[in-house]
Amino acid sequence: VSFIFTRTGDDDVLSLLKKNVKKNAGEGSSTKKLVWGAGDAREILELTRHPDFILATDVVYGNDTSKWKALVDTIKRLAGRNTLILIGNVRRYPTGHPLAETTFYTEATKEDFDRAEVPVSSLHPDFRRTGAGSCVIHAMRLKYDAQPFVALGKRKKEKRKKEKKEKRKKKTILN
């Protein structure tokens, strides 16, 4: 099964992906639009469980932290403890540059994901180079102690429920 995973839900990209999936993936495969941060990703994609594998390419660029947060939240909603996440991208700027994509991987994902870069020596010989213009593949998994994604409204509801329970407990102890 294939899915499109985009910030904007670009219909041209979706159209090309549908053609590619139809030609190469065979029966039972499908494409669906998934806009970063737009609701419950598993529900939108009609998944009944966490996927084993998430593959994304060229989805991180620039330094817009609101877009990064939407991407991280979407991945957290999709991923389970055993989901392997691979994100490949072209390094547009040298490491340390203010617009470098590496900041996304070192900062925006550090709280919730364990991450490693696939060694350059593991790439196809045509892509074994470093610096601007090189290919980078990031392998990630949710950290064992990462908080699973819970919608804000649900968090508030759970907090109120817990407070009521504690209040009843105190009342029982006092009586």
Side-chain angles (χ1 to χ4, degrees):
V1 177
S2 298
F3 300 101
I4 187 170
F5 187 30
T6 72
R7 177 182 57 81
T8 60
D10 187 321
D11 290 326
D12 291 335
V13 173
L14 183 59
S15 176
L16 287 172
L17 180 63
K18 283 181 179 181
K19 288 177 186 173
N20 190 339
V21 167
K22 185 177 180 179
K23 183 177 180 179
N24 297 300
E27 295 288 323
S29 295
S30 64
T31 55
K32 295 188 185 337
K33 184 188 292 191
L34 178 61
V35 178
W36 301 351
D40 187 336
R42 284 193 6 211
E43 186 176 306
I44 291 166
L45 298 176
E46 300 174 10
L47 299 176
T48 56
R49 63 182 188 86
H50 297 288
D52 297 320
F53 185 72
I54 295 172
L55 174 64
T57 58
D58 216 17
V59 295
V60 177
Y61 37 86
N63 59 358
D64 185 334
T65 55
S66 67
K67 291 175 186 167
W68 290 357
K69 182 180 178 344
L71 176 57
V72 168
D73 287 349
T74 300
I75 294 172
K76 281 180 67 177
R77 288 175 187 240
L78 268 177
R81 299 267 182 243
N82 296 315
T83 303
L84 173 62
I85 304 151
L86 291 178
I87 303 178
N89 69 282
V90 172
R91 185 170 282 149
R92 289 174 178 77
Y93 301 95
T95 303
H97 188 282
L99 295 177
E101 298 86 357
T102 51
T103 307
F104 170 79
Y105 298 103
T106 58
E107 297 301 318
T109 64
K110 73 179 178 184
E111 186 176 317
D112 299 304
F113 298 94
D114 288 318
R115 181 196 66 83
E117 281 188 23
V118 173
V120 173
S121 61
S122 298
L123 302 179
H124 185 279
D126 292 350
F127 300 99
R128 289 184 189 157
R129 60 182 183 275
T130 58
S134 63
C135 176
V136 185
I137 299 175
H138 305 269
M140 302 184 340
R141 284 201 191 271
L142 277 174
K143 286 185 177 179
Y144 182 75
D145 60 347
Q147 294 298 313
F149 187 90
V150 180
L152 185 59
K154 191 173 180 182
R155 283 188 198 145
K156 287 179 182 178
K157 186 177 179 181
E158 288 174 357
K159 185 178 177 183
R160 284 192 303 269
K161 197 175 188 180
K162 187 177 177 181
E163 288 170 353
K164 283 183 183 180
K165 189 175 180 179
E166 287 175 10
K167 208 175 194 180
R168 280 190 299 245
K169 194 175 179 180
K170 284 180 184 178
K171 195 175 185 180
T172 305
I173 292 171
L174 294 174
N175 290 333

